Amino acid sequence: MTTRVIYPGTFDPITNGHFDIIKRSAAMFDEIIVAVAASPSKKTLFTLEERVALVRDSIQSLPNVSVEGFSGLMVDFAKAKQANLLVRGLRTTMDFEYEFGLTNMYRKLMPELESVFLTPSEEYAFLSSTIVREVALHGGTVESFVPKTVHNALQSKIHPK
C-alpha cells in the first residue's frame, strides 16, 4: 500500500526550510504532493501559477514528489487525492498553536485525516517565507535562504527591468 502524503502551504516563496521538510518527508513516505494553496485571503507576492512553478523547479531531484496548486478547503483536496496524511513544519510555539487548531478542525471535517509534524533542521529554524520576502523587499540578500531559481524570481519581481 502506497503512503500518499500532502504537504500544504502557500509557499510565497518556497524556502530552503520548506525544501528541507519536503526532502525529509520524501525519505519517509512513498509519495508526497506539495499542495500550493491559492490563499485568496493572503496578499501573495507571486501568483499561484508562479508559486507552483517555483516549487516544481525546486523539487526536481525528488522523484516521489509532485506539485499541484489548489483552491478551496485543504480537506477537499486531500479527499480528491485520496490522501489521509498531512505533513506540516513547526518552528515555534506559535506555529504549534496555529497547527493544533487547524488539526482539530481537519478532524471535524475529515476524521481519517492525520497530521505529522516535523521540526526544521537547526539552520532553518528561523526561516519563513514572510521573513524572506521582507528582507528581499528591503534590499537584503536572501540567496542563502531560497533555491537559486527562487532568488532569481524574487529579484525579477522586486526589481523589474
Side-chain angles (χ1 to χ4, degrees):
M1 186 160 128
T2 300
T3 306
R4 180 175 295 142
V5 178
I6 296 176
Y7 179 38
T10 308
F11 304 104
D12 187 40
I14 185 171
T15 68
N16 290 340
H18 293 127
F19 183 74
D20 176 60
I21 297 289
I22 294 166
K23 186 170 66 172
R24 290 169 42 218
S25 297
M28 290 188 272
F29 303 107
D30 299 320
E31 180 184 350
I32 309 295
I33 301 170
V34 179
V36 182
S39 300
S41 63
K42 291 184 179 180
K43 177 78 172 106
T44 58
L45 180 63
F46 293 99
T47 67
L48 177 60
E49 294 76 20
E50 289 169 330
R51 289 180 282 130
V52 167
L54 289 170
V55 174
R56 192 168 282 136
D57 187 72
S58 301
I59 57 96
Q60 286 180 24
S61 64
L62 303 171
N64 62 331
V65 179
S66 62
V67 182
E68 293 187 42
F70 78 100
S71 60
L73 291 175
M74 203 288 310
V75 292
D76 292 337
F77 182 81
K79 287 175 186 174
K81 296 300 168 185
Q82 299 178 334
N84 62 354
L85 189 59
L86 297 180
V87 168
R88 299 294 290 156
L90 293 178
R91 293 165 305 171
T92 66
T93 55
M94 287 174 42
D95 285 349
F96 175 79
E97 289 178 17
Y98 177 76
E99 294 296 338
F100 186 77
L102 273 181
T103 298
N104 286 324
M105 177 57 78
Y106 294 154
R107 278 195 187 120
K108 295 288 185 192
L109 298 172
M110 186 180 169
E112 65 275 20
L113 186 64
E114 292 291 342
S115 296
V116 173
F117 300 101
L118 297 177
T119 57
S121 297
E122 184 179 345
E123 64 191 293
Y124 305 121
F126 69 94
L127 197 54
S128 73
S129 294
T130 302
I131 290 171
V132 166
R133 280 194 319 272
E134 285 299 311
V135 170
L137 285 167
H138 290 94
T141 303
V142 296
E143 63 188 314
S144 63
F145 307 133
V146 295
K148 184 169 180 52
T149 55
V150 173
H151 179 260
N152 294 340
L154 276 166
Q155 294 306 306
S156 294
K157 186 71 80 168
I158 294 168
H159 307 292
K161 294 178 181 182

